[in-house]
Amino acid sequence: MTRKFAGFALAPLLAFLMVLGLCACGQSESTEPLKAEHDLNAMVDSIRIENDFKPELGIVLGSGLHPLADEVEIVQEIPYEDIEGFPRSTVEGHAGRYILGYLEGVPVIIMDGRIHYYEGYSMEEVVTPDRIMAKLGAETVIMTNAVGSMRKDFKPGDLVCINDHIASFVPNPLIGQNDEDLGDRFVNMAESYDKGLRKIAHKAAGQVGVDLKDGVFLQVTGPTFETPAEAELYASLGADTVGMSTAVETIALRHMGVKVLGINCVTNYCPNVVDDGTSHEAVQENADKAAGRMVKLVKRIVRDLGER
Ligand code: HPA
């Protein structure tokens, strides 16, 4: 009886000691610094920029804007594969490069080749090329991408200036230990797409005779296109266009204090409007058709930015 009693008395003490032990283990794990998988500074240090070239403006070439590369007075090209530690696809190989040079007299860095989440990369990897552009000097970035439209009056071929985004359906690229060298832990996203830049874009559109709409963009992971019900849901949330990139890159750039302008190229309708048989090929084809207007508009925006 006394023995049994002693056992009961010891049990809470043992449990207490075990909990203490577990807490101690948990604590030592959480105080261990979380190392970024990809060392951004090492990547940037491995890039040798020739002739002290210092880019001021970054441009991300989405589908349809690739011909813009031909307009650049090229100073240097840096294939992604030449950058030490640059993310490699776990699923499929990818080609990509930075182009450094002058566009409309402005020193630019062009990201010719994106990393998509649907390829199997982590979100940290997805935003790495954007962060490198900012580290190399870009204080402003123009994002472009191909999107589906969830409203009748945004037709394939239309260009849309992103006035806000919804990134609630994709993992946030800032999850994990915050790198204080890049920016603050908590980022204000009340004006993700800079008002002043949007004004310049609309003015430039008027000057070159391009109809530029305004809309809310929503990012999904892909690689599937939307079901009618998904598109209906996104539209009901206030989104006008949907695509598989851009918003997370904007988040990473805003984290670093970079100003962002985003331009969508509508390549298809989503099936809540009409089932137009969207396919990757159709997206490419329609992006190519809009390329002339897209290039004209971006060149004019860059020229106006250079004159500021
Ligand atoms: N959905 C998602 N991403 C896209 C689409 C679309 O309809 N078109 C081009 N990128």
Side-chain angles (χ1 to χ4, degrees), residues 118-183:
Y118 62 73
E119 291 172 86
Y121 292 98
S122 69
M123 271 308 176
E124 187 200 352
E125 290 171 317
V126 167
V127 301
T128 291
D130 302 84
R131 283 178 167 158
I132 289 177
M133 281 199 302
K135 283 260 180 190
L136 291 176
E139 291 171 357
T140 301
V141 168
I142 302 176
M143 294 271 171
T144 63
N145 69 353
V147 295
S149 160
M150 293 176 292
R151 46 190 284 180
K152 237 186 220 133
D153 56 338
F154 284 12
K155 299 176 293 300
D158 280 351
L159 305 183
V160 184
C161 183
I162 306 176
N163 59 37
D164 203 352
H165 76 216
I166 296 173
S168 319
F169 294 89
V170 288
N172 193 301
L174 306 184
I175 287 174
Q177 197 188 39
N178 184 51
D179 183 344
E180 295 289 332
D181 288 343
L182 296 183

Side-chain angles (χ1 to χ4, degrees), residues 36-48 78 80 82-88 98 115 124-125 127-129 131-132 135-136:
E37 208 178 312
H38 298 278
D39 190 338
L40 199 62
N41 289 331
M43 279 183 244
V44 173
D45 289 346
S46 80
I47 297 172
R48 292 277 152 260
I78 307 167
Y80 292 161
D82 287 0
I83 302 172
E84 249 169 66
F86 197 87
R88 300 253 173 269
Y98 289 112
I115 290 180
E124 187 200 352
E125 290 171 317
V127 301
T128 291
R131 283 178 167 158
I132 289 177
K135 283 260 180 190
L136 291 176

Side-chain angles (χ1 to χ4, degrees), residues 146-149 220 224-226 242-244 267-270 278 283:
V147 295
S149 160
V220 290
T224 45
F225 292 113
E226 291 62 45
V242 57
M244 303 177 194
T267 52
N268 56 280
Y269 276 124
C270 288
T278 301
V283 165

Side-chain angles (χ1 to χ4, degrees), residues 9-305:
L10 274 178
L13 182 68
L14 279 173
F16 174 72
L17 288 173
M18 272 170 70
V19 168
L20 211 68
L22 280 176
C23 285
C25 284
Q27 223 169 41
S28 71
E29 259 168 38
S30 67
T31 48
E32 188 86 12
L34 284 168
K35 263 188 76 195
E37 208 178 312
H38 298 278
D39 190 338
L40 199 62
N41 289 331
M43 279 183 244
V44 173
D45 289 346
S46 80
I47 297 172
R48 292 277 152 260
I49 295 202
E50 292 159 13
N51 308 320
D52 289 331
F53 182 81
K54 179 98 165 60
E56 287 170 13
L57 172 70
I59 305 174
V60 180
L61 300 188
S63 310
L65 199 60
H66 293 278
L68 187 76
D70 301 332
E71 306 282 327
V72 179
E73 193 190 307
I74 297 178
V75 170
Q76 190 182 351
E77 289 184 52
I78 307 167
Y80 292 161
E81 68 223 33
D82 287 0
I83 302 172
E84 249 169 66
F86 197 87
R88 300 253 173 269
S89 174
T90 50
V91 179
E92 56 194 63
H94 72 283
R97 59 179 176 159
Y98 289 112
I99 301 167
L100 301 168
Y102 294 92
L103 181 64
E104 300 289 309
V106 176
V108 296
I109 174 162
I110 296 204
M111 206 177 111
D112 186 17
R114 255 199 177 105
I115 290 180
H116 294 95
Y117 188 62
Y118 62 73
E119 291 172 86
Y121 292 98
S122 69
M123 271 308 176
E124 187 200 352
E125 290 171 317
V126 167
V127 301
T128 291
D130 302 84
R131 283 178 167 158
I132 289 177
M133 281 199 302
K135 283 260 180 190
L136 291 176
E139 291 171 357
T140 301
V141 168
I142 302 176
M143 294 271 171
T144 63
N145 69 353
V147 295
S149 160
M150 293 176 292
R151 46 190 284 180
K152 237 186 220 133
D153 56 338
F154 284 12
K155 299 176 293 300
D158 280 351
L159 305 183
V160 184
C161 183
I162 306 176
N163 59 37
D164 203 352
H165 76 216
I166 296 173
S168 319
F169 294 89
V170 288
N172 193 301
L174 306 184
I175 287 174
Q177 197 188 39
N178 184 51
D179 183 344
E180 295 289 332
D181 288 343
L182 296 183
D184 293 340
R185 164 79 294 183
F186 299 102
V187 183
N188 186 311
M189 295 294 287
E191 196 187 311
S192 316
Y193 301 87
D194 188 80
K195 228 183 212 165
L197 292 175
R198 282 188 271 140
K199 208 168 154 195
I200 289 172
H202 280 288
K203 192 166 159 229
Q207 283 161 337
V208 294
V210 166
D211 176 32
L212 182 64
K213 316 263 194 227
D214 232 357
V216 173
F217 167 72
L218 182 145
Q219 182 172 352
V220 290
T221 62
T224 45
F225 292 113
E226 291 62 45
T227 65
E230 285 165 345
E232 196 59 51
L233 167 72
Y234 303 153
S236 77
L237 294 175
D240 302 300
T241 57
V242 57
M244 303 177 194
S245 67
T246 301
V248 294
E249 294 164 67
T250 296
I251 291 172
L253 291 170
R254 291 304 302 135
H255 181 226
M256 297 175 79
V258 175
K259 286 185 178 177
V260 179
L261 174 70
I263 298 176
N264 296 149
C265 172
V266 177
T267 52
N268 56 280
Y269 276 124
C270 288
N272 65 321
V273 180
V274 59
D275 179 7
D276 60 6
T278 301
S279 65
H280 180 61
E281 291 69 31
V283 165
Q284 285 302 130
E285 204 175 298
N286 284 331
D288 291 345
K289 277 190 205 158
R293 277 176 303 118
M294 191 77 156
V295 168
K296 197 158 74 166
L297 173 63
V298 171
K299 271 179 71 177
R300 184 62 196 227
I301 293 169
V302 173
R303 188 175 124 183
D304 290 351
L305 285 175

